[in-house]
Amino acid sequence: MALGRYIITILLLHISVPCWAQQSDGADKAKAALRQMHNYIREAKELEFTTRFRAGDKVLGQNATGSVHYLVRQPNLLRVTAKLPSGTVVVVSDGTTLTIHEPNKRRYREFEAKDSVVGSLYVAAGLLGTQTRLIDFFWSIDYLSVDRTGGRIGTLDTKTFGSKTCDGFRVQRDLEFWDVWLERSSARLPCYVVSKTTDGSASMTQTNELTWKSNPQFKEDTFRFVAPSGHKKE
């Protein structure tokens, strides 16, 4: 279930949507599509995708952009390279040791790897910053896709991203909203995710555009960290 909870992601936007179908037929369609996505991610042995993101806080007037590249092998191997406004962060898990590397600061830290991808990513949440919103999205889909209570699911209008036509769905849990557009494919992978959370003291909005690589091929050393010369362990 690591990737079902993980990927991940990324993340809901205060955009104008002409339609959010909350009727039972819309909810059933949304649940079926999201469950299809959840099952594909859970069962895939290897996944690779890149997301470009934009995050903003209306209350503080802060905005940030960047990109994150994810390489994942089930159940708990990963390499994440995040290019953030604060600098580059690399997170590597070989299944035993989780390394968080900040190449710009020439330093890295080591932790015990968790037994799931999402668990390891939450260890690095402080440095990954807003990208935990994408992780939260995949965790919420894992929670809702098995028909537990605690949220609402509905449909949104279809949109085109690049050359792909994607079906839109909305997930709501408490004060968090995710608008997600899924590919029209058997995998139902997300093309675009918009997340928003409002708790009275903050109003965060983040968009993630995702590009997935078909049939990723990883090298033997992909999930092994080797400290560059001069970079110190803290």
Side-chain angles (χ1 to χ4, degrees):
M1 296 278 264
L3 248 303
R5 293 178 180 170
Y6 154 73
I7 283 225
I8 190 156
T9 101
I10 103 158
L11 321 224
L12 263 300
L13 169 70
H14 189 68
I15 57 175
S16 174
V17 291
C19 176
W20 177 20
Q22 297 175 275
Q23 297 86 354
S24 59
D25 56 341
D28 289 344
K29 178 181 178 182
K31 281 186 178 181
L34 291 167
R35 188 181 296 111
Q36 194 172 345
M37 179 202 76
H38 167 271
N39 290 342
Y40 179 87
I41 290 174
R42 180 189 61 191
E43 295 168 7
K45 293 182 178 180
E46 298 182 335
L47 291 167
E48 178 176 356
F49 71 97
T50 300
T51 176
R52 292 182 297 163
F53 72 88
R54 180 181 298 275
D57 187 320
K58 291 184 179 180
V59 175
L60 299 177
Q62 297 176 341
N63 293 284
T65 60
S67 65
V68 188
H69 185 206
Y70 294 85
L71 306 174
V72 178
R73 176 179 289 164
Q74 299 273 25
N76 64 341
L77 304 185
L78 68 98
R79 177 177 286 270
V80 176
T81 303
K83 295 182 179 180
L84 310 173
S86 58
T88 299
V89 177
V90 181
V91 181
V92 182
S93 173
D94 62 7
T96 301
T97 301
L98 173 70
T99 303
I100 301 176
H101 181 212
E102 296 177 271
N104 297 351
K105 298 180 180 179
R106 302 172 67 85
R107 68 186 185 187
Y108 65 95
R109 281 165 278 180
E110 293 181 345
F111 305 87
E112 181 180 355
K114 302 299 181 181
D115 60 3
S116 67
V117 169
V118 68
S120 291
L121 284 171
Y122 274 124
V123 171
L127 288 175
L128 291 177
T130 57
Q131 284 311 288
T132 56
R133 296 289 298 136
L134 185 56
I135 303 169
D136 289 342
F137 163 68
F138 284 102
W139 183 88
S140 292
I141 294 305
D142 181 65
Y143 182 88
L144 292 169
S145 67
V146 290
D147 297 324
R148 298 172 182 169
T149 60
R152 291 192 299 166
I153 300 178
T155 57
L156 297 170
D157 288 346
T158 297
K159 288 189 176 183
T160 300
F161 299 95
S163 60
K164 293 186 177 180
T165 300
C166 304
D167 296 323
F169 306 95
R170 173 170 289 180
V171 177
Q172 177 183 350
R173 283 195 68 199
D174 301 323
L175 298 176
E176 295 183 315
F177 297 81
W178 289 272
D179 289 349
V180 54
W181 282 264
L182 305 182
E183 297 177 359
R184 287 182 170 179
S185 66
S186 58
R188 278 296 201 174
L189 292 172
C191 320
Y192 200 81
V193 178
V194 183
S195 63
K196 182 179 180 180
T197 180
T198 303
D199 63 7
S201 60
S203 179
M204 289 291 299
T205 297
Q206 180 167 311
T207 64
N208 283 75
E209 183 176 355
L210 298 93
T211 302
W212 298 80
K213 184 173 182 178
S214 301
N215 302 313
Q217 301 292 322
F218 300 143
K219 297 179 180 179
E220 288 301 316
D221 61 352
T222 295
F223 306 104
R224 186 168 65 246
F225 175 76
V226 178
S229 177
H231 289 222
K232 295 183 178 181
K233 177 181 176 181
E234 293 190 345

